[in-house]
Amino acid sequence: MPPKKKGKGKTSKKKTDGGDELEQKYRRSVLDVAVLKEHLVLRREVARQAQASKEELKSKMKDLEQELSEEREEKRDINADATRQYKSMKRELGGKVQKLETEVATLQKQLGEN
């Protein structure tokens, strides 16, 4: 077999077509890189906002937990005070009832003697 001949016309056309194609790919790649960089910038900003929101919500949650704790403590104090008042009033009422019963008994004795 004889060696194959190289055609100058064919190779020169391929080089210019390939060069244009390669340049288009390069431009497309540059645009893709730019778009990806913009996406990264946007994602970073969203991440920063999310982090700031997270910190703000943590702070609010801590404040609300403290407020809840204070409310519970206040409720316990009120409950203890109400229980103490109830027991005190019950003792007083018991004393008054006993005093009235003794008075009634005394008055009944006086009526029985008369």
Side-chain angles (χ1 to χ4, degrees), residues 39-54:
H39 282 287
L40 283 175
V41 168
L42 291 173
R43 283 188 179 204
R44 272 191 224 120
E45 184 60 31
V46 168
R48 279 189 210 119
Q49 289 174 355
Q51 189 68 24
S53 294
K54 177 184 169 185

